[in-house]
mmCIF file of all heavy atoms in Angstrom:
data_model
loop_
_atom_site.group_PDB
_atom_site.id
_atom_site.type_symbol
_atom_site.label_atom_id
_atom_site.label_comp_id
_atom_site.label_asym_id
_atom_site.label_seq_id
_atom_site.Cartn_x
_atom_site.Cartn_y
_atom_site.Cartn_z
ATOM 1 N N ARG A 47 111.580 105.773 91.965
ATOM 2 C CA ARG A 47 111.841 104.412 91.499
ATOM 3 C C ARG A 47 111.948 104.488 89.988
ATOM 4 O O ARG A 47 111.031 104.961 89.314
ATOM 5 C CB ARG A 47 110.732 103.442 91.908
ATOM 6 C CG ARG A 47 111.010 102.035 91.375
ATOM 7 C CD ARG A 47 110.102 100.991 91.913
ATOM 8 N NE ARG A 47 110.409 99.718 91.251
ATOM 9 C CZ ARG A 47 110.011 98.556 91.661
ATOM 10 N NH1 ARG A 47 109.264 98.456 92.741
ATOM 11 N NH2 ARG A 47 110.325 97.470 90.988
ATOM 12 N N HIS A 72 102.764 104.092 84.101
ATOM 13 C CA HIS A 72 102.917 103.268 82.901
ATOM 14 C C HIS A 72 104.255 102.542 83.052
ATOM 15 O O HIS A 72 105.297 103.181 83.161
ATOM 16 C CB HIS A 72 102.907 104.162 81.665
ATOM 17 C CG HIS A 72 102.837 103.420 80.387
ATOM 18 N ND1 HIS A 72 102.969 104.035 79.178
ATOM 19 C CD2 HIS A 72 102.646 102.110 80.102
ATOM 20 C CE1 HIS A 72 102.858 103.148 78.207
ATOM 21 N NE2 HIS A 72 102.677 101.969 78.749
ATOM 22 N N VAL A 73 104.228 101.216 83.075
ATOM 23 C CA VAL A 73 105.435 100.429 83.352
ATOM 24 C C VAL A 73 105.684 99.410 82.247
ATOM 25 O O VAL A 73 104.794 99.085 81.466
ATOM 26 C CB VAL A 73 105.325 99.691 84.716
ATOM 27 C CG1 VAL A 73 105.102 100.669 85.848
ATOM 28 C CG2 VAL A 73 104.220 98.648 84.697
ATOM 29 N N GLN A 74 106.903 98.896 82.205
ATOM 30 C CA GLN A 74 107.223 97.740 81.377
ATOM 31 C C GLN A 74 107.175 96.514 82.279
ATOM 32 O O GLN A 74 107.528 96.585 83.455
ATOM 33 C CB GLN A 74 108.622 97.869 80.780
ATOM 34 C CG GLN A 74 108.727 98.908 79.701
ATOM 35 C CD GLN A 74 110.120 98.934 79.103
ATOM 36 O OE1 GLN A 74 111.113 98.771 79.791
ATOM 37 N NE2 GLN A 74 110.174 99.146 77.803
ATOM 38 N N ASN A 75 106.747 95.388 81.719
ATOM 39 C CA ASN A 75 106.710 94.123 82.443
ATOM 40 C C ASN A 75 105.855 94.211 83.699
ATOM 41 O O ASN A 75 106.297 93.930 84.812
ATOM 42 C CB ASN A 75 108.131 93.646 82.788
ATOM 43 C CG ASN A 75 108.993 93.519 81.553
ATOM 44 O OD1 ASN A 75 108.554 92.979 80.539
ATOM 45 N ND2 ASN A 75 110.204 94.027 81.609
ATOM 46 N N VAL A 76 104.601 94.584 83.518
ATOM 47 C CA VAL A 76 103.692 94.762 84.649
ATOM 48 C C VAL A 76 103.516 93.473 85.452
ATOM 49 O O VAL A 76 103.362 93.514 86.672
ATOM 50 C CB VAL A 76 102.336 95.348 84.191
ATOM 51 C CG1 VAL A 76 101.499 94.313 83.441
ATOM 52 C CG2 VAL A 76 101.564 95.931 85.369
ATOM 53 N N GLU A 77 103.577 92.324 84.784
ATOM 54 C CA GLU A 77 103.427 91.052 85.519
ATOM 55 C C GLU A 77 104.595 90.817 86.480
ATOM 56 O O GLU A 77 104.395 90.329 87.593
ATOM 57 C CB GLU A 77 103.282 89.887 84.543
ATOM 58 C CG GLU A 77 101.936 89.913 83.838
ATOM 59 C CD GLU A 77 101.692 88.710 82.943
ATOM 60 O OE1 GLU A 77 102.167 87.621 83.264
ATOM 61 O OE2 GLU A 77 100.997 88.899 81.935
ATOM 62 N N THR A 78 105.795 91.184 86.077
ATOM 63 C CA THR A 78 106.959 91.053 86.960
ATOM 64 C C THR A 78 106.806 91.958 88.171
ATOM 65 O O THR A 78 107.075 91.544 89.306
ATOM 66 C CB THR A 78 108.249 91.390 86.192
ATOM 67 O OG1 THR A 78 108.363 90.516 85.072
ATOM 68 C CG2 THR A 78 109.469 91.250 87.082
ATOM 69 N N LEU A 79 106.370 93.192 87.954
ATOM 70 C CA LEU A 79 106.154 94.116 89.066
ATOM 71 C C LEU A 79 105.041 93.609 89.974
ATOM 72 O O LEU A 79 105.146 93.670 91.196
ATOM 73 C CB LEU A 79 105.832 95.518 88.546
ATOM 74 C CG LEU A 79 105.656 96.590 89.615
ATOM 75 C CD1 LEU A 79 106.921 96.751 90.467
ATOM 76 C CD2 LEU A 79 105.264 97.916 88.967
ATOM 77 N N TYR A 80 103.982 93.082 89.380
ATOM 78 C CA TYR A 80 102.883 92.517 90.184
ATOM 79 C C TYR A 80 103.402 91.380 91.068
ATOM 80 O O TYR A 80 103.090 91.334 92.267
ATOM 81 C CB TYR A 80 101.760 92.017 89.272
ATOM 82 C CG TYR A 80 100.622 91.388 90.030
ATOM 83 C CD1 TYR A 80 99.708 92.183 90.720
ATOM 84 C CD2 TYR A 80 100.449 90.005 90.057
ATOM 85 C CE1 TYR A 80 98.659 91.616 91.423
ATOM 86 C CE2 TYR A 80 99.406 89.435 90.754
ATOM 87 C CZ TYR A 80 98.515 90.241 91.427
ATOM 88 O OH TYR A 80 97.471 89.673 92.133
ATOM 89 N N ASP A 81 104.201 90.488 90.493
ATOM 90 C CA ASP A 81 104.771 89.384 91.283
ATOM 91 C C ASP A 81 105.618 89.916 92.440
ATOM 92 O O ASP A 81 105.613 89.351 93.531
ATOM 93 C CB ASP A 81 105.602 88.451 90.403
ATOM 94 C CG ASP A 81 104.748 87.609 89.470
ATOM 95 O OD1 ASP A 81 103.530 87.459 89.718
ATOM 96 O OD2 ASP A 81 105.299 87.112 88.468
ATOM 97 N N GLU A 82 106.334 91.014 92.205
ATOM 98 C CA GLU A 82 107.157 91.623 93.248
ATOM 99 C C GLU A 82 106.307 92.205 94.381
ATOM 100 O O GLU A 82 106.663 92.095 95.552
ATOM 101 C CB GLU A 82 108.020 92.721 92.632
ATOM 102 C CG GLU A 82 108.849 93.497 93.634
ATOM 103 C CD GLU A 82 109.554 94.695 93.013
ATOM 104 O OE1 GLU A 82 109.832 94.683 91.790
ATOM 105 O OE2 GLU A 82 109.813 95.652 93.765
ATOM 106 N N LEU A 95 95.985 91.780 89.222
ATOM 107 C CA LEU A 95 96.397 91.987 87.839
ATOM 108 C C LEU A 95 95.333 91.431 86.901
ATOM 109 O O LEU A 95 94.880 90.297 87.056
ATOM 110 C CB LEU A 95 97.735 91.282 87.580
ATOM 111 C CG LEU A 95 98.309 91.421 86.184
ATOM 112 C CD1 LEU A 95 98.669 92.875 85.881
ATOM 113 C CD2 LEU A 95 99.541 90.534 86.041
ATOM 114 N N ARG A 103 96.911 95.978 80.762
ATOM 115 C CA ARG A 103 97.092 94.999 81.849
ATOM 116 C C ARG A 103 97.472 95.830 83.045
ATOM 117 O O ARG A 103 98.433 96.615 82.975
ATOM 118 C CB ARG A 103 98.196 93.991 81.546
ATOM 119 C CG ARG A 103 97.939 93.088 80.393
ATOM 120 C CD ARG A 103 97.280 91.779 80.724
ATOM 121 N NE ARG A 103 98.044 90.955 81.656
ATOM 122 C CZ ARG A 103 97.464 90.135 82.540
ATOM 123 N NH1 ARG A 103 96.169 90.025 82.612
ATOM 124 N NH2 ARG A 103 98.203 89.402 83.340
ATOM 125 N N PHE A 105 97.230 96.519 87.658
ATOM 126 C CA PHE A 105 96.851 96.182 89.026
ATOM 127 C C PHE A 105 96.929 97.448 89.858
ATOM 128 O O PHE A 105 97.546 98.444 89.462
ATOM 129 C CB PHE A 105 97.725 95.071 89.613
ATOM 130 C CG PHE A 105 99.152 95.452 89.896
ATOM 131 C CD1 PHE A 105 99.544 95.872 91.154
ATOM 132 C CD2 PHE A 105 100.117 95.376 88.891
ATOM 133 C CE1 PHE A 105 100.858 96.213 91.412
ATOM 134 C CE2 PHE A 105 101.433 95.710 89.143
ATOM 135 C CZ PHE A 105 101.814 96.132 90.404
ATOM 136 N N PHE A 117 99.360 100.476 88.388
ATOM 137 C CA PHE A 117 100.521 100.188 87.547
ATOM 138 C C PHE A 117 99.984 99.473 86.318
ATOM 139 O O PHE A 117 99.244 98.493 86.436
ATOM 140 C CB PHE A 117 101.511 99.286 88.288
ATOM 141 C CG PHE A 117 102.087 99.932 89.526
ATOM 142 C CD1 PHE A 117 101.492 99.750 90.757
ATOM 143 C CD2 PHE A 117 103.227 100.717 89.434
ATOM 144 C CE1 PHE A 117 102.026 100.338 91.899
ATOM 145 C CE2 PHE A 117 103.766 101.309 90.563
ATOM 146 C CZ PHE A 117 103.160 101.113 91.803
ATOM 147 N N PHE A 118 100.328 99.955 85.113
ATOM 148 C CA PHE A 118 99.743 99.380 83.911
ATOM 149 C C PHE A 118 100.738 99.356 82.756
ATOM 150 O O PHE A 118 101.729 100.068 82.750
ATOM 151 C CB PHE A 118 98.498 100.173 83.486
ATOM 152 C CG PHE A 118 98.807 101.501 82.853
ATOM 153 C CD1 PHE A 118 98.870 101.624 81.470
ATOM 154 C CD2 PHE A 118 99.059 102.624 83.628
ATOM 155 C CE1 PHE A 118 99.172 102.843 80.874
ATOM 156 C CE2 PHE A 118 99.363 103.845 83.043
ATOM 157 C CZ PHE A 118 99.406 103.955 81.664
ATOM 158 N N GLU A 119 100.432 98.485 81.789
ATOM 159 C CA GLU A 119 101.096 98.524 80.485
ATOM 160 C C GLU A 119 100.052 98.192 79.437
ATOM 161 O O GLU A 119 99.003 97.609 79.737
ATOM 162 C CB GLU A 119 102.288 97.577 80.421
ATOM 163 C CG GLU A 119 101.959 96.107 80.366
ATOM 164 C CD GLU A 119 103.222 95.236 80.286
ATOM 165 O OE1 GLU A 119 104.309 95.726 79.980
ATOM 166 O OE2 GLU A 119 103.080 94.034 80.531
ATOM 167 N N ASN A 120 100.331 98.583 78.208
ATOM 168 C CA ASN A 120 99.404 98.267 77.123
ATOM 169 C C ASN A 120 99.413 96.772 76.890
ATOM 170 O O ASN A 120 100.486 96.151 76.861
ATOM 171 C CB ASN A 120 99.765 99.038 75.867
ATOM 172 C CG ASN A 120 99.637 100.533 76.076
ATOM 173 O OD1 ASN A 120 98.804 100.995 76.855
ATOM 174 N ND2 ASN A 120 100.457 101.312 75.387
#
Side-chain angles (χ1 to χ4, degrees):
R47 178 170 176 165
H72 189 188
V73 302
Q74 288 183 322
N75 304 315
V76 73
E77 289 185 33
T78 302
L79 183 60
Y80 178 76
D81 288 341
E82 176 188 334
L95 181 65
R103 295 268 300 148
F105 70 95
F117 297 92
F118 75 96
E119 72 179 344
N120 297 329

